[in-house]
Amino acid sequence: MAENKRIDAPTGTQTVGHEWDGIEELDTPMPRWWVFTFWVCILWGIGYVVLFPAIPLFNGATPGLWNWSSRGQLEQQMKAETLRRAPITNALSAIPVEELAGNEKLYQAAIEGGRAAFKVHCVQCHGSGAAGSKGYPNLNDDDWLWGGDLPAIHYTLTHGVRQPDHEETRFSQMPAFGGVLNGGEIDAVAAYVQTLSGKAKPSARSAVGATLFANNCASCHGTDGKGMREFGAPNLTDGIWLYGGDAASIKTTITKARYGVMPRWNNRLDPVTIKMLAAYVHSLGGGEATATPATATAPDPEKVATNVQP
């Protein structure tokens, strides 16, 4: 092939020496800038392999002379951010949750921190806007099963609801009346419950339901149906329903009962994050200003009265 090389007259460039069907290829040299870039890339690649993790091994890769990694960089950034937040974090750790709302600067800082934590840990059930859904409470209104002041919200977040592995969890138990009342009696109780919130007018059926309610339900929901927070019994007069306020949903609740649960966060999140979450939920619109003894601690499950009468 070398013997077939020649200088192409029109271009003055040597050919590569092979020919196909009368077509020859010119051996045009690469542009100098391209050759320079090519060698720079080779040198850069060698430098990268020497300085950074690059060569795969059985249990990882070569660390490189600089021992750099994206995880290490993230860890450094996280440490720097932790140091930056340390003054606020330490202050939030030191202040009792009962006094947090009285310190405007710390309270606002806690709200912003809680807003970020809520998006990570709570939106899956309560929604991005905290409006909840069927079976998951709306945290924007002023209707609370266990209390809506800061200590009560903080306790609920810390210890959860109906967590069998935790003695301090909030606990309540509504019996399933399907085995206690017959179908007609359940219909009557549902009719009466609907009158409590103005969803239905009193009737002969609801009058029967009122008696059944007094005998079977008032011990937890109260004689007026406004609920009792020490038992986690909802207010039936405000028209706010966790599982639905139509007749069919109420009948299902009476017949089968409900047993919603909420995880306790004291085994997943640090105390400051829980305190920030409490501040954020408290700020959503339904937070209450004062604590009451009934919401300061969880009720003893042994004291939850059902007073079920056949």
Side-chain angles (χ1 to χ4, degrees):
M1 185 178 295
E3 297 176 354
N4 296 327
K5 291 182 179 181
R6 67 180 185 82
I7 300 299
D8 180 59
T11 62
T13 304
Q14 181 175 275
T15 65
V16 296
H18 59 76
E19 175 266 338
W20 181 262
D21 200 19
I23 300 175
E24 294 179 286
E25 180 181 358
L26 300 179
D27 190 10
T28 304
M30 301 299 296
R32 289 181 178 271
W33 66 266
W34 192 96
V35 174
F36 176 78
T37 303
F38 177 72
W39 283 108
V40 168
C41 289
I42 291 176
L43 294 174
W44 182 89
I46 294 173
Y48 186 95
V49 169
V50 172
L51 298 176
F52 294 94
I55 301 175
L57 302 174
F58 287 107
N59 296 319
T62 54
L65 295 179
W66 287 356
N67 199 30
W68 179 93
S69 70
S70 57
R71 290 184 179 181
Q73 185 181 48
L74 175 61
E75 184 177 351
Q76 292 177 357
Q77 293 173 349
M78 294 294 289
K79 287 181 179 178
E81 183 64 15
T82 299
L83 289 175
R84 186 184 71 82
R85 295 182 180 183
I88 292 294
T89 302
N90 293 338
L92 284 172
S93 178
I95 190 171
V97 69
E98 296 84 359
E99 301 174 11
L100 181 56
N103 188 318
E104 185 62 26
K105 180 179 179 181
L106 279 182
Y107 183 59
Q108 291 301 321
I111 289 173
E112 292 309 312
R115 190 192 312 276
F118 188 91
K119 293 177 181 179
V120 176
H121 303 289
C122 309
V123 297
Q124 295 86 349
C125 293
H126 293 284
S128 58
S133 60
K134 187 174 182 179
Y136 302 99
N138 181 355
L139 304 177
N140 296 290
D141 59 30
D142 58 358
D143 195 60
W144 300 92
L145 288 176
W146 304 97
D149 57 21
L150 259 174
I153 296 171
H154 183 264
Y155 191 99
T156 301
L157 284 166
T158 302
H159 302 291
V161 178
R162 302 185 186 93
Q163 294 298 295
D165 65 331
H166 189 55
E167 293 182 356
E168 297 180 78
T169 189
R170 294 202 184 277
F171 184 87
S172 64
Q173 176 72 63
M174 175 177 171
F177 285 93
V180 178
L181 304 177
N182 60 42
E185 290 172 327
I186 290 175
D187 288 346
V189 174
Y192 173 69
V193 169
Q194 284 197 299
T195 67
L196 293 175
S197 59
K199 294 181 71 68
K201 295 181 179 180
S203 62
R205 177 183 292 180
S206 69
V208 174
T211 302
L212 291 166
F213 184 92
N215 293 334
N216 297 276
C217 312
S219 57
C220 289
H221 292 283
T223 56
D224 56 2
K226 291 187 177 180
M228 295 184 184
R229 287 181 174 179
E230 59 265 39
F231 302 139
N235 182 353
L236 304 177
T237 69
D238 56 11
I240 299 175
W241 301 89
L242 187 57
Y243 293 95
D246 58 282
S249 296
I250 295 174
K251 290 177 186 178
T252 300
T253 298
I254 297 171
T255 303
K256 301 180 179 180
R258 306 289 187 178
Y259 199 80
V261 298
M262 173 182 164
R264 63 184 179 99
W265 293 101
N266 62 348
N267 62 344
R268 307 185 189 192
L269 301 177
D270 62 89
V272 171
T273 301
I274 294 175
K275 194 176 291 185
M276 292 191 296
L277 278 170
Y280 174 68
V281 172
H282 183 261
S283 73
L284 289 176
E288 299 171 346
T290 57
T292 62
T295 60
T297 58
D300 186 345
E302 299 296 329
K303 298 180 181 179
V304 178
T306 56
N307 194 28
V308 177
Q309 299 183 8

